[in-house]
Each structure stands twice: as structure tokens, then as C-alpha cells.
Amino acid sequence: MTATTALSAPPPPVRPAAGRSPAPAARRRAVLHWIAVHTVAVAAALFFVLPFVFVFLTSVMSDDQAMSGTLWPTEWNWSNYAEVFHTPGFLDWWRNSLMYAGLGTLFTVCSSVPVAYALARFRFRGRRTAMLLVISTMMLPPQVIVIPMYLVWAQQFHLSGSLWPLIIPMAFGDAYSIFLLRQFLLTIPREYLESAKVDGCGDVRTLLRIVVPMAKPGIAAVALFQFFFCWNDYFGPQIYAAQNPGAWTLSYGLESFKSAHSVNWNLTMAATLLVMAPVIIVFFFAQKAFVEGVTLTGVKG
């Protein structure tokens, strides 16, 4: 063999060492990565789920067992939920909470959508100043204006002892809802609106026929935020409806229920679960629209 032939010959293939194969090593790394990721996810899920499991298990225990250290009920007392419903005033609290959350959500959406549409699509003098004023109201703590607002509703309108001082202001827009909807409406292409104008649609018809159907995820997110706020609101009913037990909501009535049943933790947990159930059910069925609406609000500034 000549020197030229030796130099031009291809090098021999490199064989992996005995007992080492790159494919099994890659599979092992992928399996370890999958186990690590899913272990963290399962741990985080248990962190959020276990309190609800504890509340549920305690709610079906007997009174004596709820006070003990036993975590699993020896007897499943489903009658605790019936006893909670038969508590005087509990059904009234349900009705008041549904009225407060339902009307509050409806008023907020109907009043915030037109304002957000105007701030997102109309060009007028002072548009940025108006947006800054809307955002600045989000920085104002409600405790600052609670006393003058209470005096106005109590002395001028004589609506103390009811939930109307909390519901009526929502018909005039909500700063956070306006801001969230405005950010979402900026993601709608202007070509759709211009095409509607060419077809003869006015501003109101364009809003109802084009903008609202395309903004359903954003509207759903705002509606869910407002529903959750009204359903869980404790501060507002305490200020305006504390002196009238017939106007209490579930969030405020649950505190009095706990005081009346301070020893019966099984009944207290059953009432707590009944208060949380509507919020969990609503979010379970609307989570897709909720996540989509919140995600798309940050596309444009």
C-alpha cells in the first residue's frame, strides 16, 4: 500500500464503548425529565386540592369526629348539607348573593364594553387623558371613599340596609373591566371595522354586530372577574347591609353562621363548601374563554 492510498482511505468508524448506547441514554434522560416535571406538577396540584378535600371530608363527619384528629370519616353524614339549608336565612343569603353577583356582572359588562370600545377605536382630543383617569381610579383604595359614599346612599337615597348601593354604581362602568376590555379590543384588526363602515353600519351597529361577537373571550374574562368579586365580596355587604339580616350575602352570612355553629365544625365546613361550589362550577365550565381572554389582552398596549 502506498502512502497516497493510506492518506486517502477513510478513517475506520468509531464504535461506542461496550455497554454504552446513545439511544438508551437519551431515553433515560427523557424519562427522568418527564418524572421531574410531572412530580412538580402533581405536588403543586396537591397543594391546591388538599384543602378542598379536607373541607369536604370534614363536612360529612359527625360533630364529635370533626373535633377529633381523624382525617377520614367513619360515617358519611350527608344530612349535614340538608341541615345547613334549613338554617334560618341561608336560602335568603343565596338569593341575595345571586342577585348581587348576577346584576353586578350584567351592569358591569353592559356599561364597560361601550367605554372600552370608544377608548380603543375612536380618535378624539383627550383620549389618553381619559384613559389615564380610568387607570388612576384603580389606584384609589375603596376605604378612602367608603364614608362619604355611605353618607350619600344612606342620607340622600335612603338605601342603607340593602345591596343597591353596591349594585347601582356598577351600571356606570368599572375601571379594571374597562382597561381589560380596551386591551382586548386593540387586538381586533381595524379592517373588520372599516369593512362594516363601508357596508353602512354605524358605530352602535358595528359594536353589536362585529366587535361584541369577536370580543367574547375578553367579555367572558371580565364577567368572570366581576362575578367572583361580587360573590366573594365581604367588605361591601358589611358596610351597607350589616343592619339588615334579610339583605346579607353568603360571604357575610357565613361569618354569622360560623359564630352560631362555632363548635359544629362539620356544619361550618358544609356551609363553606356550598358557598364555594358555584364559583368552582362557573370557572370549570368557562375556564377556556377565561384563559383565552386574559391571554389576548396583553398582545397590544
Side-chain angles (χ1 to χ4, degrees):
M1 180 181 295
T2 62
T4 306
T5 306
L7 292 174
S8 61
V14 178
R15 295 182 179 180
R20 293 185 180 179
S21 177
R27 284 197 296 268
R28 282 196 298 270
R29 285 195 298 269
V31 170
L32 291 176
H33 177 75
W34 185 90
I35 292 175
V37 171
H38 286 76
T39 300
V40 174
V42 170
L46 290 176
F47 179 79
F48 290 101
V49 171
L50 285 179
F52 295 97
V53 175
F54 173 76
V55 171
F56 170 72
L57 293 178
T58 307
S59 67
V60 295
M61 292 180 180
S62 62
D63 184 24
D64 296 334
Q65 188 181 4
M67 296 296 295
S68 64
T70 307
L71 296 179
W72 193 263
T74 55
E75 295 181 2
W76 297 79
N77 297 289
W78 300 104
S79 59
N80 292 341
Y81 293 97
E83 187 172 350
V84 168
F85 270 107
H86 288 111
T87 301
F90 192 80
L91 292 179
D92 293 334
W93 303 342
W94 262 89
R95 184 188 68 248
N96 295 333
S97 294
L98 288 175
M99 181 188 70
Y100 179 27
L103 291 179
T105 303
L106 178 64
F107 288 170
T108 299
V109 171
C110 292
S111 59
S112 299
V113 169
V115 179
Y117 175 65
L119 292 175
R121 292 305 180 187
F122 290 171
R123 296 293 183 266
F124 56 90
R125 186 183 300 274
R127 184 170 67 100
R128 290 185 175 273
T129 303
M131 191 62 203
L132 289 176
L133 289 175
V134 170
I135 296 177
S136 64
T137 59
M138 298 168 55
M139 305 177 186
L140 187 65
Q143 292 81 4
V144 175
I145 60 173
V146 63
I147 294 179
M149 290 299 297
Y150 178 82
L151 294 177
V152 169
W153 289 108
Q155 296 180 0
Q156 303 297 326
F157 299 100
H158 306 286
L159 290 176
S160 60
S162 67
L163 296 174
W164 291 111
L166 301 173
I167 298 174
I168 294 176
M170 297 180 189
F172 299 94
D174 175 70
Y176 180 76
S177 301
I178 293 172
F179 173 75
L180 195 66
L181 285 171
R182 184 249 183 191
Q183 296 300 108
F184 187 89
L185 294 180
L186 288 175
T187 64
I188 298 178
R190 183 174 294 275
E191 289 77 11
Y192 289 100
L193 308 182
E194 293 176 352
S195 299
K197 296 289 182 62
V198 171
D199 292 338
C201 293
D203 293 326
V204 177
R205 192 176 178 184
T206 302
L207 173 63
L208 297 178
R209 296 292 183 89
I210 305 298
V211 176
V212 171
M214 297 184 67
K216 283 183 179 179
I219 295 174
V222 168
L224 285 175
F225 273 128
Q226 192 64 27
F227 183 86
F228 294 161
F229 168 77
C230 295
W231 188 268
N232 298 319
D233 187 18
Y234 179 85
F235 181 73
Q238 183 187 29
I239 297 298
Y240 292 101
Q243 66 271 29
N244 181 16
W248 288 358
T249 59
L250 282 171
S251 58
Y252 186 72
L254 185 62
E255 180 65 27
S256 64
F257 185 92
K258 178 181 176 182
S259 302
H261 300 273
S262 57
V263 181
N264 300 333
W265 283 104
N266 55 340
L267 298 181
T268 303
M269 292 299 180
T272 303
L273 193 62
L274 290 174
V275 172
M276 294 188 299
V279 176
I280 297 174
I281 293 173
V282 169
F283 181 77
F284 178 79
F285 285 103
Q287 59 179 326
K288 182 178 179 180
F290 174 76
V291 173
E292 183 180 356
V294 174
T295 303
L296 292 179
T297 52
V299 174
K300 289 188 178 181

